[in-house]
Amino acid sequence: MVLVSAVRDYVNRMFQDISGMKVLILDSQTVSIVSVVYSQSELLQKEVFLVELIDSISKSKESMSHLKAVYFLRPTSENIQYMRRQLSNPRFGEYHLFFSNMLKDTQIHLLADSDEQEVVQQVQEFYADFIAVDPYHFTLNMPSNHYYILPAVVDPSNLQHFCDRAVDGIGAVFLALKRRPIIRYSRTSDIAKRIAHETAKLMYQQESGLFDFRRMEMSPLLLIVDRRDDPVTPLLNQWTYQAMVHELIGIQDNKVDLRSIGKLPKDQQEVVLSSEQDAFFKTNMYENFGDIGMNIKRMVDDFQQVAKSNQNIQTIEDMAKFVDNYPEYRKMHGNVSKHVTLVTEMSKIVEERKLMLVSETEQELACNGGQVAAFEAVNNLLNNESISDIDRLRLVMLYALRYEKESPVQLMQLFNKLASRSAKYKQGLVQFLLKQAGVDKRTGDLYGNRDFLNIARNMARGLKGVENVYTQHQPLLFQTMESIIKGRLRDVDYPYVGNHFQQGRPQEVIIFIVGGTTYEESRSVAQLNASSSGIRFLLGGTAVLNSKRFLKDLEEAQGIARTNANVV
Amino acid sequence: MATRNRSWLFNKYRDALKGARAPTSSSAAATVKLKASSGGAPAIQMASNSLLHSKRSYAALSTEDPGNSSKVAATIGLPPAWVDVSEEIAGNVQRARAKIAELGKAHAKALMPSFGDGKEDQQNIENLTSEVTNLLKRSEKRLHKLSANGPSEDSNVRKNVQRQLATDLQNLSMELRKKQSTYLKRLRQQMEEGGDMEMNLNGNRPKDEDDDLDDMMFNEHQMAKLKQSEAYTVEREREIQQVVESVNELAQIMKDLSVLVIDQGTIIDRIDYNIQNVATTLEEGLKQLQKAERTQKQGGMVMCASVLVIMCFVMLVLLILKEIIF
């Protein structure tokens, strides 16, 4: 409940001392921040009767002085400009300004300058500058997430924006938790290093007063890693509920848009998947697809029972009981049809794209050795007509990442085959991925084949056998977290920033993945938190990835890199 | 949950800037102050936030000091008329809530065994129940007055106010119904127990006392008991009937309200969805308007052309007639 409840508390406090009818004004980022943790009916209870975006509220001129305006904005210069225009011509009775991060003095000066009629009641900084999708998982939803792949010289100003937003987000998380961490980063990544150093500068120099909380016995750990350390996880097909929905359909701010999939009734076109509001989803979000089917069947059976008992209304007592249970019944009805729709649509997609077949090979590639067999399997799948282009591309990528050094000849064969098979295949995307996230660029032991201990462990696992072929993959993050628990994270691979070193085991660890997290990793974090290891992990990233998004970022970065190479 | 209050810095800057600006715009500031100190300002301020929130309303009335509000009142105009309606409903809700609490106590008292016949209690319960039901019914009727159409911001506000009040009303009527049904259940239970006891009395006593009398006959004492219990049963029956009636009335209210109330956890309950929705409805409205404009223009043209054609015909006919006749 940590992250979600922190943001909820901030929102509660905004409305706490303001009586009367209110209007809440947000910008395009804060609207996501508030939406994932707060609902419309809760807002109504707080007497917030209108929610508007800052750019649309400035269009209307109608005076509404019986309302009090509560602004919750990111402190961007754009928003300050909007604010200035609106303050110079006030429409509302009172103005309460809340900013999601640190304001510069010049920005306050600008605001004060335009407030000629003295309508502003308060200016506050409430550090809810991250989107808390799950209790232990936050994202920053950066629209241009691909900049992390590019080297710093290509587009310095945009990269600076990227870094600033990441640092702002990380800073806000720690302010919301009231902690100042010790910072480590993965050695091979320039961007992780840069963000780590800028965060340290912010926390220990620029705003050291703000970050000076009561000393904890043990400082929490902030670990900044790069997506390119583990390019495999976002390329795999997923079989646990939340991850699978995101992979096959797409989750945006805990909402699933089903309009692209097919004709559905109007109330099913867009559905909410939030672990906070949906008990069924909360218990099943990490279950695998087969179990989900069983559980949904159970839920449908329960629902049928209720529906049946509602049908035979004979006495007045029955009627009274029905009316009593009606709201509950309606809620249940909506929930049941939502999950049934999702699972039906997903199993359709699985069938269509032969994902069972594809995923088996994917998991083999990600987890087990055996290059000859793997080549055979990938080759066969490339020949299979019913496999979609994107799945082919992913298979070749996974193969390339795994056997980059071992069999260049066969790799070339696969490249050629892929190019001849699918016309849409972007030339050189696999090579670009290898260049960016190849074995030389990665920190950590992705395939568990770099030292003997890991090789031995892998062999032991191979002998034991696996429960489920489709969910045998463990993300690299899981290993990293395990070594943190054991206190064995290597200082060489993950160096400290400055002279703040960790003594002993931290109790709180925040891992920030530059380039985006996946729901598979979020699941590992939740599972480790549930097992009582004494350490609480939080996971954050610049975006929440699925394979589509990961490939899109890669493509965009490749495009920019290529045009730049041409110019130079 | 760290926060930082920048109001102080903001005020400092603002005051400094005001000082710098003062010589040029002193006259404007003076008129603002004049307006603010006129008598009507505090009253307006009070009207704007009185009674709206049930829990805070009294505090707002009593602790609002006029000196503080005068600064704000300069910019506050009269709120629109629907605010009065919403306040009235909010007041009703508050009163109903108090009444329901009272009713709960009355129920508890009526269920307790007492020496009196409990007539007053019954009367009290009946009165309270009908009062609450009336309040709810009236509020529900008034609620429809709040509805507005058109995609303007004001109508959005009204819709949301309506929703919030509807949710309140629904919760209240749920509470009332729950209270009533538990009362009903307890009443029935008591009645059954009472019945059992009477039966036992009737069954056991004859053997002990009435050896000399015919077994089939009741003695006077027993007859009296029986009559009493019969009367008791009739009375309870009536009570149950009444409660059932009010339950049904409430069910009707509930049905009307459920149209307005947002289901929690659904997409309609999402803040961003609502914002997008407003945007899309606005766009759609614009499209409709453009379409209407187009059709209107077309309509005018077609009309013109057809009038001309008709005129041509008429002229032609006239021409022919002229040729034929003359």
Side-chain angles (χ1 to χ4, degrees), chain A residues 10 49 115 125 176 253, chain B residues 1-2 6 14 153 160 270:
Chain A
Y10 275 129
F49 292 129
D115 185 24
E125 290 170 4
D253 299 337
Chain B
M1 280 285 298
R6 306 302 289 263
R14 188 166 68 182
E153 278 165 3
N160 281 330
R270 285 278 296 211

Side-chain angles (χ1 to χ4, degrees), chain A residues 10 21 40-41 44 47 49 65 91 105 113 115-116 118 123 125 127 175-176 253 316-317 330, chain B residues 1-2 4-7 13-14 18 21 52-53 77 153 160 164 177 188 244 263 269-270 272:
Chain A
Y10 275 129
M21 289 194 267
Q40 183 83 7
S41 47
L44 290 182
E47 292 182 271
F49 292 129
S65 49
R91 292 177 57 199
D105 280 3
D113 183 36
D115 185 24
E116 284 180 37
E118 305 202 358
V123 181
E125 290 170 4
Y127 305 104
L175 283 171
D253 299 337
I316 289 176
E317 211 169 319
R330 224 166 78 148
Chain B
M1 280 285 298
R4 184 159 59 169
N5 197 338
R6 306 302 289 263
S7 306
Y13 283 143
R14 188 166 68 182
K18 204 170 78 180
R21 218 182 282 129
L52 231 187
H53 198 283
E153 278 165 3
N160 281 330
Q164 200 247 338
R177 225 188 8 249
R188 286 219 171 125
V244 164
D263 288 334
D269 204 15
R270 285 278 296 211
D272 44 5

Side-chain angles (χ1 to χ4, degrees), chain A residues 123-387:
Chain A
V123 181
Q124 301 243 33
E125 290 170 4
F126 275 25
Y127 305 104
D129 206 7
F130 50 89
I131 295 152
V133 285
D134 284 319
Y136 299 112
H137 186 194
F138 69 92
T139 167
L140 301 179
N141 263 4
M142 287 199 209
S144 48
N145 188 33
H146 53 272
Y147 281 107
Y148 78 100
I149 303 173
L150 298 167
V153 286
V154 175
D155 193 348
S157 72
N158 273 329
L159 194 71
Q160 188 60 47
H161 276 301
F162 181 85
C163 284
D164 286 348
R165 179 69 187 97
V167 172
D168 280 354
I170 295 170
V173 169
F174 280 96
L175 283 171
L177 298 173
K178 285 200 167 182
R179 298 274 192 278
R180 178 155 61 180
I182 292 191
I183 304 169
R184 301 175 77 170
Y185 59 93
S186 70
R187 170 180 55 89
T188 44
S189 165
D190 288 336
I191 185 95
K193 183 178 175 185
R194 182 169 169 181
I195 290 174
H197 279 275
E198 282 183 24
T199 311
K201 203 169 128 200
L202 175 83
M203 288 177 176
Y204 287 98
Q205 289 168 26
Q206 287 166 351
E207 298 285 350
S208 63
L210 192 59
F211 279 91
D212 193 15
F213 302 110
R214 200 164 47 84
R215 290 253 166 238
M216 301 281 293
E217 271 176 54
M218 198 64 79
S219 295
L221 171 68
L222 167 64
L223 179 65
I224 298 176
V225 294
D226 195 309
R227 178 75 270 166
R228 285 170 291 179
D229 287 347
D230 178 10
V232 169
T233 310
L235 285 173
L236 292 174
N237 270 305
Q238 300 296 329
W239 296 97
T240 55
Y241 197 21
Q242 188 185 30
M244 196 172 172
V245 173
H246 189 48
E247 176 63 40
L248 299 182
I249 304 172
I251 303 177
Q252 175 71 35
D253 299 337
N254 290 347
K255 267 183 322 185
V256 184
D257 191 349
L258 291 165
R259 268 171 295 194
S260 56
I261 284 185
K263 285 236 178 303
L264 290 165
K266 195 147 192 292
D267 59 328
Q268 297 282 320
Q269 282 177 355
E270 220 178 353
V271 295
V272 184
L273 267 190
S274 160
S275 57
E276 294 291 300
Q277 290 164 350
D278 184 343
F280 178 82
F281 184 64
K282 190 177 179 164
T283 47
N284 288 295
M285 58 199 277
Y286 302 130
E287 296 293 324
N288 69 45
F289 193 51
D291 294 344
I292 294 293
M294 302 281 283
N295 290 347
I296 282 188
K297 182 164 181 309
R298 209 168 301 140
M299 185 165 77
V300 170
D301 286 346
D302 285 351
F303 176 69
Q304 268 173 345
Q305 212 117 54
V306 174
K308 211 181 269 170
S309 78
N310 278 340
Q311 264 169 8
N312 51 21
I313 293 174
Q314 282 168 348
T315 60
I316 289 176
E317 211 169 319
D318 282 349
M319 212 154 87
K321 211 192 277 169
F322 171 73
V323 177
D324 258 350
N325 297 333
Y326 185 67
E328 194 80 359
Y329 171 77
R330 224 166 78 148
K331 202 174 161 188
M332 199 169 165
H333 174 79
N335 217 13
V336 168
S337 52
K338 171 172 87 181
H339 289 293
V340 169
T341 312
L342 278 178
V343 171
T344 325
E345 292 302 329
M346 286 198 301
S347 52
K348 252 189 234 162
I349 297 174
V350 167
E351 190 58 34
E352 220 168 84
R353 283 167 52 182
K354 299 270 177 294
L355 286 184
M356 293 293 229
L357 207 63
V358 176
S359 182
E360 205 182 322
T361 313
E362 280 179 3
Q363 295 281 338
E364 277 306 299
L365 280 171
C367 302
N368 301 324
Q371 184 244 328
V372 181
F375 176 76
E376 198 69 19
V378 173
N379 207 11
N380 280 340
L381 283 174
L382 284 185
N383 286 328
N384 194 333
E385 288 300 328
S386 49
I387 307 289

Side-chain angles (χ1 to χ4, degrees), chain B residues 198 201-202 205 218-232:
Chain B
E198 299 290 329
L201 283 176
N202 291 342
R205 283 244 179 109
F218 296 124
N219 67 12
E220 223 166 272
H221 177 67
Q222 279 175 328
M223 284 303 276
K225 259 254 152 74
L226 201 66
K227 271 207 181 114
Q228 198 189 335
S229 74
E230 220 164 63
Y232 187 70

Side-chain angles (χ1 to χ4, degrees), chain B residues 15-207:
Chain B
D15 291 345
L17 284 163
K18 204 170 78 180
R21 218 182 282 129
T24 53
S25 62
S26 60
S27 58
T31 51
V32 168
K33 274 207 182 104
L34 206 96
K35 228 195 267 171
S37 57
S38 69
I44 292 167
Q45 169 71 9
M46 264 170 18
S48 73
N49 58 11
S50 68
L51 267 178
L52 231 187
H53 198 283
S54 45
K55 282 167 210 145
R56 276 196 209 117
S57 56
Y58 292 130
L61 277 173
S62 56
T63 61
E64 192 78 48
D65 79 332
N68 186 22
S69 63
S70 61
K71 192 175 76 185
V72 187
T75 53
I76 281 192
L78 266 175
W82 59 261
V83 174
D84 295 338
V85 180
S86 79
E87 275 169 21
E88 190 195 321
I89 299 172
N92 281 348
V93 167
Q94 209 183 350
R95 247 175 290 152
R97 194 171 283 144
K99 285 260 153 58
I100 285 180
E102 228 175 286
L103 186 67
K105 274 181 208 147
H107 277 168
K109 205 177 154 206
L111 284 171
M112 231 125 56
S114 64
F115 293 111
D117 57 357
K119 270 264 157 54
E120 294 153 50
D121 286 344
Q122 293 312 329
Q123 199 60 38
N124 197 12
I125 286 176
E126 264 167 48
N127 284 345
L128 277 173
T129 313
S130 66
E131 260 176 70
V132 173
T133 320
N134 278 341
L135 270 176
L136 290 180
K137 259 199 275 184
R138 214 174 334 137
S139 309
E140 197 257 325
K141 283 225 178 71
R142 299 287 283 170
L143 202 60
H144 288 295
K145 286 211 171 153
L146 275 178
S147 54
N149 35 21
S152 77
E153 278 165 3
D154 186 54
S155 72
N156 266 332
V157 176
R158 290 170 73 161
K159 204 169 70 194
N160 281 330
V161 171
Q162 204 181 12
R163 272 182 182 164
Q164 200 247 338
L165 291 172
T167 317
D168 270 1
L169 280 179
Q170 201 186 36
N171 287 343
L172 272 186
S173 54
M174 291 267 275
E175 202 182 318
L176 179 61
R177 225 188 8 249
K178 240 176 221 143
K179 282 233 159 74
Q180 279 183 324
S181 56
T182 48
Y183 177 60
L184 206 68
K185 222 185 268 165
R186 298 276 291 278
L187 262 188
R188 286 219 171 125
Q189 239 168 27
Q190 276 192 359
M191 215 162 87
E192 271 165 27
E193 276 168 19
D196 285 351
M197 213 161 68
E198 299 290 329
M199 290 303 282
N200 283 343
L201 283 176
N202 291 342
N204 290 335
R205 283 244 179 109
K207 276 180 192 163

Side-chain angles (χ1 to χ4, degrees), chain A residues 69-85:
Chain A
V70 178
Y71 281 76
F72 181 53
L73 308 169
R74 296 204 70 239
T76 60
S77 51
E78 213 183 9
N79 284 339
I80 299 285
Q81 286 309 319
Y82 276 125
M83 274 313 314
R84 293 195 62 181
R85 229 169 295 150

